[in-house]
Amino acid sequence: MSDKDFGLIDRRTVLKAAGAAGLMLATGAYAATSRKRYAVVGVGHRARMYMNAITGKYRDGNEIVAVCDTNPGRVARAVRRISETGASQPRPYAAADFDRMIRETKPQFVLVTTVDATHDEYIVRALEAGCDVITEKPMTTTAEKAQRILDAVKRTGRHIRVAFNYRYTPPRTQVKELLMSGEIGDVLSVDFTWLLNTVHGADYFRRWHSNKANSGGLMVHKSTHHFDLVNWWLGAQPELVHAFGSRQFYTPETAKRMGLQGHHQRCLTCPEKNKCNFYFDLAADPGLKELYLDNEQHDGYFRDQCIWRPEINIEDTMNVMVRYDNGVQLKYALSAYDAWEGYHIAFNGTKGRLEHRIVESAGAAGAGQVQSKSNEVSTRIIPLRGAARDIEPWVGTGGHGGGDNVMLDEIFGDAPADKFKRISDERAGAYSCLVGIAANRCFETGNSVRIADLVTGLTPPDRAPMPDRKAPVPMPIRVKIP
Ligand SMILES: NC(=O)c1ccc[n+]([C@@H]2O[C@H](COP(=O)([O-])OP(=O)(O)OC[C@H]3O[C@@H](n4cnc5c(N)ncnc54)[C@H](O)[C@@H]3O)[C@@H](O)[C@H]2O)c1
């Protein structure tokens, strides 16, 4: 794909943007600006949060100099949206011209918000070109790609930040503080269950995520958040993983059980849309229509594929056991067809138990895709002896329970030094996605997987100090479990 493929972008916008940037290059004006310079690759749904932040609240110190995507319609839209804010226009590039984009627009940072399986490609090329990288989670989807990224960081000496926004959600940061305080003593085991309801959960089966080659499945795409939280909460490294996973709900058989004839290609043209309780109207939401439906002509991507398709190859029911290098055992479950959305987690310590729960939505209304939002938070400490204590939860505002805003402040603003050490680099990015990658291997082989067998040269990230605990008792590892 070359620049001529962007013929659908308003030509005046492109020429004006290109002309202004060309002039700046010629006069060396780039060096004169004190703003931090960003290029964004992958200008879909998630990129909007970063683009809004840079062109809005943080525009004094930051600017977007280029945008890039495989879909020229979405590139044009991003340029238009940014221009409308009054910020300087970014230059538009096709994905195939990523290296040229960096040469011509000289960003200091590349923001990677593409499909998960393509992150490594852009991360490594950006690092090689001398940029630092801010990447969306998961850092990547396979062990080989994780190794490429770890090697590229070592080779180039550049930096990666993995945007683990869940760490910044105030009640989750509060859990970290409670664990750091030592009130429940040394944590010995963790019991963590995450539920996705039939609105949010079903959505993964409509989009590119439904192909494991794109997303690594929910074990990587979704659980990377959850494994990162546990790694960070515990301040420990996952060592050994065993898991079971299968697709039990989003299947052609379930469609038949619900009285449908079978599966179809997509909701928009579905002959059974009036009968299907999971019908999703892509045209009804102006934002989604503009982002995806109006740009299908460029890449043929349907955002509303049938969730009952037999070719879907990701799991919807997953159970994972993880042993940490400090001896902690984690029991984790994720399912994607639940009656409510949220999670509960319990940390069992030598002095007591910490229970924490967030109910994000109490139910899913079905065909209308309306969710009753709730966001009930509860955190409780139950000592081994004595009365339980309910903790008043910290609150935040904005996306992901307030986590997005706190994280954006740290990335683009002047946030103070963080005693919780929430900034995550490639080491935290790797430890988190490797648990999911290991679980995927278990699904295939039935064997336990050691994280150390997946990559080399991975060292523990910087951690906030946790209460001292005695050395773990070494345990034998049975790698083959029949
Ligand atoms: N941290 C969070 O809470 C959170 C929330 C949503 C999404 N995400 C992450 O953000 C990323 C993007 O997700 P999304 O929901 O915006 O998806 P999306 O489908 O809306 O956007 C992805 C964009 O990448 C483009 N793209 C695909 N392949 C490409 C390639 N090879 N080169 C360049 N561009 C390419 C697509 O055309 C699209 O515009 C994913 O990694 C996802 O995991 C994170």
Side-chain angles (χ1 to χ4, degrees):
M1 196 183 283
S2 72
D3 271 1
K4 71 178 166 35
D5 294 310
F6 289 136
L8 286 159
I9 300 176
D10 171 49
R11 287 194 69 75
R12 273 183 311 165
T13 304
V14 174
L15 290 173
K16 202 168 148 202
L23 184 65
M24 287 178 84
L25 270 177
T27 58
Y30 280 157
T33 173
S34 59
R35 290 202 198 101
K36 290 182 186 150
R37 303 165 55 74
Y38 299 83
V40 185
V41 56
V43 285
H45 194 268
R46 184 64 176 163
R48 292 194 297 194
M49 179 192 76
Y50 295 101
M51 296 194 301
N52 289 344
I54 296 174
T55 59
K57 184 173 176 189
Y58 305 102
R59 71 193 296 170
D60 285 349
N62 304 279
E63 67 179 320
I64 299 172
V65 294
V67 290
C68 173
D69 199 291
T70 41
N71 187 304
R74 279 195 279 280
V75 171
R77 184 185 160 283
V79 171
R80 198 168 58 238
R81 280 293 179 95
I82 292 168
S83 307
E84 282 164 7
T85 67
S88 53
Q89 285 180 344
R91 292 181 66 170
Y93 287 88
D97 293 326
F98 177 82
D99 299 320
R100 181 162 69 80
M101 171 184 80
I102 294 189
R103 279 198 307 278
E104 290 179 355
T105 64
K106 299 187 172 21
Q108 292 152 292
F109 300 90
V110 173
L111 260 160
V112 180
T113 43
T114 54
V115 165
D116 302 342
T118 66
H119 289 181
D120 66 306
E121 192 56 39
Y122 294 112
I123 292 172
V124 171
R125 281 155 74 184
L127 296 174
E128 300 281 10
C131 301
D132 289 333
V133 170
I134 300 165
T135 182
E136 257 308 337
K137 50 54 54 176
M139 185 173 84
T140 190
T141 52
T142 69
E144 295 71 27
K145 291 177 179 196
Q147 187 71 64
R148 275 190 76 206
I149 294 171
L150 294 171
D151 292 346
V153 172
K154 290 217 171 81
R155 198 165 57 240
T156 62
R158 304 305 317 177
H159 302 287
I160 297 181
R161 176 186 189 121
V162 183
F164 282 128
N165 50 339
Y166 279 31
R167 291 183 179 196
Y168 295 81
T169 303
R172 295 184 192 132
T173 305
Q174 186 181 26
V175 166
K176 175 72 177 170
E177 181 167 88
L178 290 165
L179 293 171
M180 284 166 69
S181 78
E183 190 170 344
I184 62 160
D186 291 345
V187 176
L188 303 178
S189 67
V190 181
D191 184 353
F192 194 6
T193 298
W194 199 287
L195 303 89
L196 298 167
N197 68 11
T198 53
V199 174
H200 187 200
D203 221 26
Y204 293 110
F205 295 79
R206 296 191 177 98
R207 296 182 280 165
W208 50 260
H209 313 64
S210 61
N211 181 353
K212 214 174 226 192
N214 291 331
S215 64
L218 293 179
M219 271 291 103
V220 175
H221 174 82
K222 190 72 199 166
S223 303
T224 190
H225 275 308
H226 313 153
F227 295 135
D228 176 67
L229 280 174
V230 179
N231 299 348
W232 170 69
W233 273 325
L234 294 177
Q237 283 59 248
E239 201 178 57
L240 183 70
V241 176
H242 196 77
F244 297 101
S246 56
R247 182 161 56 96
Q248 311 216 40
F249 184 79
Y250 297 103
T251 64
E253 292 71 33
T254 307
K256 291 208 175 92
R257 276 202 299 274
M258 290 187 173
L260 301 169
Q261 307 251 302
H263 62 278
H264 302 279
Q265 187 187 33
R266 65 182 302 190
C267 290
L268 192 73
T269 53
C270 180
E272 298 193 89
K273 61 170 77 162
N274 294 329
K275 278 164 58 187
C276 182
N277 201 23
F278 285 75
Y279 169 64
F280 174 71
D281 188 353
L282 185 57
D285 180 319
L288 294 181
K289 177 179 175 300
E290 191 195 1
L291 201 50
Y292 304 108
L293 190 59
D294 295 350
N295 291 312
E296 287 180 357
Q297 56 191 305
H298 302 296
D299 58 11
Y301 170 59
F302 297 158
R303 166 71 176 73
D304 62 345
Q305 294 170 76
C306 180
I307 58 171
W308 314 120
R309 286 167 297 136
E311 63 268 26
I312 291 174
N313 61 3
I314 63 169
E315 297 78 16
D316 58 21
T317 310
M318 293 140 279
N319 285 282
V320 185
M321 307 282 285
V322 183
R323 202 182 74 199
Y324 280 80
D325 61 356
N326 62 356
V328 172
Q329 295 181 23
L330 164 69
K331 178 159 67 96
Y332 166 82
L334 175 70
S335 46
Y337 45 86
D338 294 289
W340 61 273
E341 170 123 352
Y343 64 90
H344 53 89
I345 185 163
F347 299 86
N348 297 304
T350 48
K351 295 185 189 163
R353 176 175 163 101
L354 191 166
E355 291 180 354
H356 168 60
R357 167 185 167 107
I358 296 189
V359 180
E360 286 180 5
S361 98
Q369 304 301 322
V370 178
Q371 292 191 76
S372 54
K373 284 267 174 199
S374 96
N375 210 29
E376 294 161 30
V377 181
S378 73
T379 306
R380 188 158 223 244
I381 298 225
I382 309 161
L384 291 186
R385 302 279 184 276
R389 182 165 85 87
D390 284 320
I391 309 287
E392 185 64 33
W394 295 354
V395 288
T397 54
H400 295 100
D404 284 347
N405 283 341
V406 186
M407 182 185 75
L408 290 172
D409 233 16
E410 197 183 66
I411 298 179
F412 302 116
D414 292 318
D418 181 22
K419 72 169 178 173
F420 304 111
K421 292 203 183 288
R422 284 169 293 189
I423 293 180
S424 323
D425 63 14
E426 72 287 347
R427 295 168 296 175
Y431 271 118
S432 145
C433 68
L434 286 171
V435 179
I437 290 164
N440 277 334
R441 287 211 182 162
C442 293
F443 297 165
E444 284 169 19
T445 64
N447 295 339
S448 302
V449 176
R450 286 177 211 251
I451 299 298
D453 290 341
L454 296 177
V455 291
T456 56
L458 176 57
T459 53
D462 301 332
R463 302 289 196 191
M466 294 295 283
D468 284 341
R469 56 171 293 151
K470 47 190 183 322
V473 183
M475 282 174 282
I477 298 171
R478 273 193 204 87
V479 171
K480 176 93 182 157
I481 295 185

